Amino acid sequence: MAYNQLITKSGHSLFTMSSLYQKAIRRCDVKAAGYAANELFDRYEHYLWKRTLVISAEDCYGECTQEILALYWASQEVNKGKKGNDRTKIFIAKAITILLYHAKSRDSDFFRVTLLVALASVVYVVVLVVQPVSRRFEKVFYRERALRSEPRY
């Protein structure tokens, strides 16, 4: 191949497994979430933790992100200096269990869309307010410029 692919230990795409991981947690599918996490853990442990934190912020109701963050710190402390199969998966398994059985909510998506709509309307209002002022300025500027220039014969 002409480029390096990001693949897991069984040959799946990193992005496919990441998508499966998030969808499985949203749907409370224990087997699929465990399979995807196991595929991602060996080569992409840091990415798996980042994805887990994002899922906890986006898809879960309440405050479980701090629990996930504490498990990440504990995992980093216990697995410090270990390579390969010596690293323990108990902390990521606990984080996945918390996410699977935590109440789900998509409020962050709603607020993000509402914020984007609000920002778009502010930009639209600013454009409407600024545009007539700038056109008035252009008319005055060109009128004064025309008065100052000498007539052409």
Side-chain angles (χ1 to χ4, degrees):
M1 296 203 167
Y3 58 92
N4 294 330
Q5 287 186 334
L6 301 173
I7 56 172
T8 63
K9 63 181 179 180
S10 296
H12 301 292
S13 168
L14 166 71
F15 306 109
T16 303
M17 285 294 110
S18 177
S19 176
L20 173 65
Y21 180 62
Q22 185 159 3
K23 287 177 183 176
I25 289 176
R26 282 184 185 163
R27 297 171 184 164
C28 300
D29 187 355
V30 177
K31 289 182 180 180
Y35 179 77
N38 192 35
E39 284 290 311
L40 292 170
F41 186 81
D42 288 337
R43 293 185 184 173
Y44 307 106
E45 180 184 5
H46 187 70
Y47 178 77
L48 177 63
W49 277 109
K50 283 183 4 182
R51 195 79 219 137
T52 304
L53 283 168
V54 169
I55 293 168
S56 72
E58 285 181 353
D59 297 332
C60 293
Y61 177 77
E63 299 177 6
C64 70
T65 306
Q66 290 299 322
E67 297 174 29
I68 304 299
L69 196 57
L71 287 168
Y72 171 70
W73 289 335
S75 173
Q76 293 301 311
E77 188 63 32
V78 169
N79 290 329
K80 191 183 296 182
K82 295 182 180 177
K83 300 280 185 196
N85 291 334
D86 293 337
R87 295 177 299 168
T88 181
K89 297 179 183 180
I90 191 69
F91 297 104
I92 192 67
K94 179 73 172 174
I96 293 168
T97 304
I98 290 170
L99 291 178
L100 282 169
Y101 296 111
H102 205 277
K104 304 297 187 276
S105 171
R106 299 300 299 271
D107 287 343
S108 62
D109 291 339
F110 170 75
F111 290 124
R112 181 174 45 118
V113 169
T114 305
L115 180 65
L116 289 175
V117 168
L119 287 175
S121 63
V122 168
V123 169
Y124 183 68
V125 170
V126 168
V127 168
L128 286 179
V129 170
V130 170
Q131 191 173 5
V133 172
S134 64
R135 286 187 180 171
R136 249 185 284 143
F137 174 74
E138 287 176 7
K139 289 178 183 177
V140 170
F141 177 73
Y142 287 123
R143 191 177 325 134
E144 289 178 3
R145 189 171 160 197
L147 292 174
R148 276 186 276 154
S149 63
E150 296 180 16
R152 294 184 186 179
Y153 296 105

